[in-house]
Amino acid sequence: MEEMKEQAVRFEEKTIMPLLPLRGLTVYPGMMLNFDVERAVSVMALNLSVGVNQTIFLSTQKNVSKELPRLEDIYEVGTFCRLKQLLRQPNGKSVRVMVEGVARGRILRQVSDEPCMMVEVEPMPDQPERADTARAEALRRQCCDLYEEYAQLLGNIPPESLMNIYDSEDLAYVSNYISQHMAIRYSDKQKLLEQVRPTRRLAMLVKLLARENELLRIRNELQEETQQQLMRGQQEMFLREQLKVIQSRLGMGDDGVGEFDEYRQKIKALSLPAETEEKLLKELDRLTKQQYGSAEAAVIRTYLDTCLDLPWRTKTKETVDVTRARKMLDEDHYGLDKVKERVIEFLAVRQLAPQAKGSVLCLVGPPGTGKTSIAMSIARAMNRRLARISLGGVHDEAEIRGHRKTYIGAMPGRIIAAVQQAKSSNPVIVLDEIDKLASDFRGDPASALLETLDTEQNYAFRDHYLEVPFDLSDVLFITTANTTSTIPRPLLDRMEVIELTSYTDEEKVHIAKTHLLPKQRKKHGLTARQLKVSDDALREIISRYTRESGVRVLERQLAAVCRKAAARIAKGEIKALSVRANHLEELLGAPPFRREKLYADDEIGLVRGLAWTAVGGDVLDVEVSVVPGTGKIELTGNLGDVMKESARGALTFIRSRSDSLGLDPEFYRKKDLHIHFPEGAVPKDGPSAGITICTAVISALTGHPVRRDLAMTGELTIRGRVLPIGGLKEKTMAAFRAGITTVIVPAENEKDLEEIDQDVRRALNFILVDHMSKVIETVFPEGFAPAALPEGETAAETAQPGKAQQV
């Protein structure tokens, strides 16, 4: 590279410079060339040339399919070039380059291949020849005349460019200009480049131009024949259309006329809004002017059929009897009181104000809790027709709004298609899995739903295919989701969110007895006498054969029991089967889940936390081990960033209270802490284990055991404040199943205790805390007291704990 810097931009001696192989392109001295560069090694050659005199050597590959050519894969003769322009493309991978050919050169040897191919090249100047000889002048004129004919036959070369060669007497320039602008094989262009005598290049060009002109004449003749055949076909079609009109006038046939009248009558009969009627009549007028059987006529017919098939004025008479509706909802679903109350409120408003606009409900809850089925029950209770749209994985805005009818195969979006399917303008439309919408370069379907779900705008919803407003204000939209975190905020603001929490074990028993088991018995051809399942068997299936928030797996297990019973009855082994808890292992196999139970003894450094998962609550153990060391903290158990931060925050709090805890102030320098969460294959994250981690670390450092029948949950700040958490209902259910008797929860979650199952509330002793000192006071009642104020710290800076509140 230093050697290149020392050499001036002269091409009169041997030079070392970067080599850029070209695929299918050739550049000639004195000519400009634009091309794109994508290969990384070629981009590196350009970058190197920019920093060193902006010169580079270009030569053509012998095989254009070779991705990484070697020196033997590249023609020996190429061109010295100057970089005139370098433009990096937005994709960050390719570069648009403009170069100017300066002189012809020959590759002598390869110097290196890092960072790009560096070669030693020598110039190959044209051999001097007299331009005023008769032969030279004749060759020049013949080349110019043949190139002019070539330009006329090709049809895309501007006449002004011919002046460049007619005005020049430089044989080398004329030959290079014509060679550069001819569309011939790159191997022929390479032969022209390697020829150093201008008159011989002109002679080669005469032969090439004569051959190309002959090929172009043949091509133009073929195109003209094809065009004439098309014109004859159009004339024949025009004559056929005239013949149809003449036959219609003579009464010999009326093909098409009755169809247009029928369309016009249907449009008038619908009593559509003025804008819509005008649009459809305009399309009908266009149809009457189209050729019979043409593609455009087919598009217009499909459009008119789709518009006329929509329920513009058709509505179903809905039920506004709130008592009857509530009874129907209770028949279909157990629990879900919040959803049922909201539906009854909606019906009551419709009864008092029939012109009230539709609503948008969003049912959010874990899988299997009945979100989609309750939506279907709502439609039945209201006597409305139902249409369901699955939005999972939808990533094209046109899926919602439709395609414009100019596209081949265009159709309305899913919203209009659902209304068309329901054949009513006031259906219940269920938008399933709205939290799983995707977006890409084709648009954002969530943004397209903003107008659809806005009750102030959807009275004039415009589908791209219809191009006219359609009233969706009478539609009751019900969306379902597993979480609101992935729903865009503007879309979430347009919906009334109703949360469906996990079912308790007792609720699952009731659902199984009244809904799932009768359904599966009927499905498998069994009667209630042929198959009976006891309550203790149902509880055993729920606790040891399922681990979920809803009841889908429970229904599958009941289906398995029904299959076993049906098989035995069909074989004649038994006439009826009564299933009890001790029969389940024979029918369903070994239980996949173990029953949670208390540990045998209170242990040091082991605290039981509570976690929320997508399938309900779970007991989460926290284990801490202290060993001599240099203050390292090891966090294991497949933890997320938030949980790791909670562990570090807990350690900071303990260091700030080391004196009141009886710890060596330098313990964090002399001890290594290993905090582990069992079941390492399961990812864990969230801040609600803060007080659990802190308690476990204190127990390990002080040597005081923690009660095995106590569990806790709560977020911890470095100042010791305990913040509220979510999923308390599911967490306390997990504690109840595990035999826990006392649960420590944040004081701000007191309002959530009302939603906990009554059996769980009676079985558990809840302790409300707002500061970590209260947790320490509860867990270690004899060994510790509330932390004293450090010297120089005010009461405003450190909240003093009071007595723990029991409920």
Side-chain angles (χ1 to χ4, degrees):
M1 193 164 169
E2 294 297 330
E3 184 179 351
M4 290 174 58
K5 290 182 178 179
E6 293 174 1
Q7 294 176 354
V9 187
R10 293 180 296 115
F11 306 103
E12 302 171 358
E13 56 189 11
K14 295 179 181 179
T15 307
I16 296 176
M17 60 171 49
L19 170 65
L20 196 157
L22 297 175
R23 289 196 278 197
L25 297 175
T26 307
V27 60
Y28 293 86
M31 299 296 112
M32 305 289 287
L33 180 65
N34 290 303
F35 57 96
D36 291 332
V37 177
E38 293 184 354
R39 292 184 289 198
V41 66
S42 299
V43 174
M44 184 63 70
L46 288 173
N47 294 336
L48 188 60
S49 301
V50 169
V52 185
N53 298 327
Q54 296 189 345
T55 58
I56 193 168
F57 191 77
L58 303 184
S59 185
T60 308
Q61 291 182 205
K62 298 176 182 178
N63 185 358
V64 295
S65 62
K66 195 87 170 182
E67 184 63 28
L68 295 174
R70 299 180 179 179
L71 188 62
E72 57 267 20
D73 300 323
I74 302 170
Y75 286 110
E76 192 175 77
V77 178
T79 309
F80 296 93
C81 294
R82 286 193 181 91
L83 296 178
K84 305 296 289 185
Q85 190 178 47
L86 199 70
L87 180 63
R88 302 191 183 277
Q89 299 297 320
N91 59 16
K93 296 181 179 179
S94 61
V95 179
R96 173 63 61 87
V97 185
M98 177 189 289
V99 298
E100 178 186 14
V102 179
R104 185 183 292 100
R106 184 195 306 274
I107 301 174
L108 298 177
R109 63 185 178 91
Q110 180 177 346
V111 178
S112 69
D113 57 357
E114 294 291 336
C116 61
M117 195 178 295
M118 303 290 294
V119 293
E120 182 182 5
V121 291
E122 67 174 359
M124 285 180 60
D126 284 334
Q127 292 184 9
E129 290 183 317
R130 292 180 58 186
D132 55 350
T133 64
R135 174 177 171 75
E137 181 64 14
L139 284 172
R140 187 185 69 81
R141 290 185 181 184
Q142 189 177 9
C143 272
C144 292
D145 294 338
L146 288 171
Y147 184 71
E148 182 178 5
E149 183 183 0
Y150 174 85
Q152 292 174 353
L153 291 170
L154 197 61
N156 59 3
I157 298 178
E160 304 85 59
S161 64
L162 298 174
M163 302 301 296
N164 295 329
I165 55 176
Y166 274 118
D167 294 340
S168 176
E169 296 182 357
D170 186 352
L171 301 181
Y173 175 82
V174 172
S175 62
N176 288 341
Y177 185 93
I178 296 176
S179 301
Q180 185 72 58
H181 293 86
M182 279 184 64
I184 56 177
R185 292 191 297 266
Y186 67 90
S187 57
D188 291 334
K189 287 196 171 190
Q190 181 65 29
K191 293 177 182 178
L192 291 169
L193 179 65
E194 293 175 357
Q195 180 55 252
V196 295
R197 295 186 62 179
T199 54
R200 291 188 179 178
R201 279 205 302 273
L202 290 173
M204 293 169 65
L205 278 172
V206 168
K207 294 180 181 180
L208 289 172
L209 283 167
R211 186 189 67 181
E212 288 297 317
N213 290 348
E214 183 63 26
L215 293 175
L216 288 174
R217 275 192 290 270
I218 296 173
R219 187 202 69 171
N220 293 343
E221 289 174 2
L222 293 174
Q223 288 180 345
E224 187 176 354
E225 290 178 6
T226 305
Q227 189 67 26
Q228 289 177 355
Q229 290 177 359
L230 290 174
M231 290 179 64
R232 284 196 297 268
Q234 290 175 352
Q235 289 174 354
E236 182 180 350
M237 184 179 295
F238 178 76
L239 292 173
R240 288 183 181 277
E241 291 296 322
Q242 284 185 326
L243 180 60
K244 288 179 183 178
V245 174
I246 293 171
Q247 290 175 342
S248 177
R249 295 284 180 89
L250 295 175
M252 298 172 63
D254 57 348
D255 294 343
V257 178
E259 178 190 17
F260 301 147
D261 288 342
E262 184 181 353
Y263 275 130
R264 196 176 304 276
Q265 291 171 6
K266 287 183 178 179
I267 293 171
K268 293 292 185 181
L270 287 174
S271 301
L272 300 172
E275 180 185 353
T276 304
E277 183 173 327
E278 180 183 356
K279 171 69 176 176
L280 296 184
L281 290 175
K282 184 177 178 181
E283 291 294 326
L284 180 58
D285 290 340
R286 288 184 58 217
L287 178 60
T288 60
K289 299 172 184 178
Q290 298 298 319
Q291 297 177 358
Y292 182 80
S294 66
E296 183 67 17
V299 170
I300 297 175
R301 279 190 179 86
T302 304
Y303 172 75
L304 290 174
D305 291 339
T306 301
C307 291
L308 294 175
D309 195 37
L310 289 175
W312 296 92
R313 301 290 183 185
T314 306
K315 293 184 180 180
T316 54
K317 186 178 180 181
E318 64 184 9
T319 302
V320 291
D321 185 346
V322 294
T323 305
R324 177 174 174 273
R326 179 61 191 243
K327 182 180 179 181
M328 294 177 68
L329 291 173
D330 289 338
E331 288 176 357
D332 292 344
H333 291 82
Y334 177 77
L336 305 178
D337 291 331
K338 285 186 177 181
V339 185
K340 295 176 181 177
E341 288 176 9
R342 181 63 186 87
V343 175
I344 297 303
E345 291 169 1
F346 174 75
L347 292 176
V349 172
R350 295 288 291 185
Q351 183 176 350
L352 301 177
Q355 301 302 321
K357 297 179 179 178
S359 299
V360 182
L361 305 180
C362 182
L363 308 180
V364 180
T369 51
K371 299 182 294 296
T372 304
S373 59
I374 189 66
M376 296 178 179
S377 298
I378 290 171
R380 190 172 75 90
M382 297 176 65
N383 194 34
R384 288 194 182 194
R385 293 178 179 173
L386 176 74
R388 178 178 170 272
I389 303 173
S390 178
L391 297 178
V394 172
H395 51 258
D396 190 352
E397 183 242 359
E399 293 271 359
I400 306 299
R401 288 187 176 274
H403 297 82
R404 301 195 183 277
K405 64 177 183 292
T406 52
Y407 292 104
I408 297 175
M411 61 183 66
R414 293 197 179 192
I415 301 297
I416 294 298
V419 175
Q420 187 178 16
Q421 172 195 345
K423 300 185 183 301
S424 170
S425 61
N426 65 336
V428 174
I429 295 183
V430 180
L431 302 177
D432 222 356
E433 309 293 354
I434 197 171
D435 57 326
K436 296 173 180 62
L437 284 171
S439 62
D440 59 13
F441 64 92
R442 286 169 285 191
D444 184 5
S447 299
L449 283 173
L450 293 178
E451 179 190 3
T452 309
L453 301 183
D454 191 337
T455 56
E456 299 298 327
Q457 301 180 41
N458 62 9
Y459 67 91
F461 173 73
R462 285 182 181 269
D463 187 273
H464 289 328
Y465 183 81
L466 298 184
E467 297 179 344
V468 291
F470 189 88
D471 187 2
L472 297 176
S473 59
D474 290 329
V475 176
L476 173 59
F477 288 100
I478 300 178
T479 66
T480 69
N482 297 129
T483 176
T484 59
S485 60
T486 56
I487 302 176
R489 186 68 187 179
L491 186 59
L492 191 62
D493 287 342
R494 286 164 166 77
M495 301 184 290
E496 180 180 346
V497 178
I498 301 176
E499 292 190 3
L500 281 70
T501 56
S502 303
Y503 291 119
T504 64
D505 286 0
E506 290 305 312
E507 288 175 334
K508 291 181 180 179
V509 170
H510 191 280
I511 292 170
K513 290 170 61 178
T514 57
H515 296 282
L516 303 182
L517 188 56
K519 175 183 173 183
Q520 290 301 324
R521 275 199 294 240
K522 182 178 179 181
K523 184 178 179 180
H524 291 83
L526 300 172
T527 64
R529 290 185 178 181
Q530 289 177 310
L531 176 63
K532 296 180 181 179
V533 182
S534 65
D535 289 358
D536 60 336
L538 290 175
R539 290 189 177 89
E540 184 74 5
I541 293 174
I542 292 168
S543 62
R544 303 195 65 191
Y545 288 87
T546 68
R547 185 66 60 87
E548 58 176 343
S549 299
V551 291
R552 283 180 182 161
V553 179
L554 174 59
E555 185 174 8
R556 286 198 290 270
Q557 296 292 356
L558 291 176
V561 172
C562 291
R563 289 195 300 272
K564 297 290 185 182
R568 292 186 180 184
I569 292 173
K571 292 177 181 178
E573 298 177 2
I574 57 174
K575 293 184 178 180
L577 178 64
S578 181
V579 180
R580 298 191 175 277
N582 56 350
H583 300 155
L584 290 177
E585 197 159 336
E586 178 185 351
L587 296 172
L588 300 177
F593 303 105
R594 61 181 177 83
R595 185 180 286 107
E596 295 282 352
K597 59 183 180 180
L598 293 178
Y599 293 117
D601 301 303
D602 299 342
E603 297 188 30
I604 297 172
L606 174 62
V607 181
R608 313 206 78 176
L610 300 175
W612 180 93
T613 68
V615 296
D618 199 2
V619 176
L620 182 68
D621 291 343
V622 180
E623 300 176 351
V624 179
S625 180
V626 181
V627 295
T630 58
K632 295 180 181 178
I633 304 175
E634 189 73 25
L635 301 170
T636 56
N638 202 352
L639 309 183
D641 292 337
V642 176
M643 187 169 277
K644 292 178 181 179
E645 292 172 358
S646 296
R648 295 187 179 94
L651 188 61
T652 300
F653 170 80
I654 295 172
R655 288 176 56 188
S656 68
R657 300 293 189 271
S658 58
D659 292 339
S660 60
L661 295 173
L663 298 174
D664 181 0
E666 300 294 320
F667 77 90
Y668 64 93
R669 298 180 185 273
K670 303 174 182 178
K671 305 286 186 181
D672 285 352
L673 293 176
H674 188 155
I675 303 174
H676 177 66
F677 292 76
E679 299 183 22
V682 181
K684 309 171 188 70
D685 204 1
S688 63
I691 64 173
T692 312
I693 298 172
C694 186
T695 304
V697 174
I698 292 174
S699 171
L701 289 172
T702 60
H704 287 70
V706 179
R707 289 167 46 193
R708 60 185 180 278
D709 62 342
L710 181 144
M712 60 187 70
T713 179
E715 180 179 354
L716 178 66
T717 71
I718 60 174
R719 309 282 298 192
R721 292 184 296 118
V722 179
L723 303 183
I725 47 84
L728 187 61
K729 179 180 177 181
E730 290 80 4
K731 292 179 178 180
T732 54
M733 177 60 68
F736 174 70
R737 287 197 298 262
I740 302 295
T741 60
T742 304
V743 178
I744 300 176
V745 298
E748 293 186 39
N749 284 109
E750 184 177 7
K751 62 184 185 300
D752 299 323
L753 296 178
E754 299 297 327
E755 299 181 3
I756 297 176
D757 183 74
Q758 293 300 319
D759 293 337
V760 177
R761 290 194 65 184
R762 285 191 293 267
L764 297 181
N765 175 31
F766 291 96
I767 299 178
L768 304 178
V769 297
D770 59 3
H771 196 274
M772 187 62 204
S773 298
K774 294 182 182 180
V775 180
I776 298 173
E777 182 181 280
T778 303
V779 179
F780 309 105
E782 299 178 357
F784 301 103
L789 285 173
E791 184 177 353
E793 197 172 285
T794 64
E797 295 171 338
T798 304
Q800 289 294 333
K803 292 293 183 180
Q805 180 182 356
Q806 276 194 335
V807 291

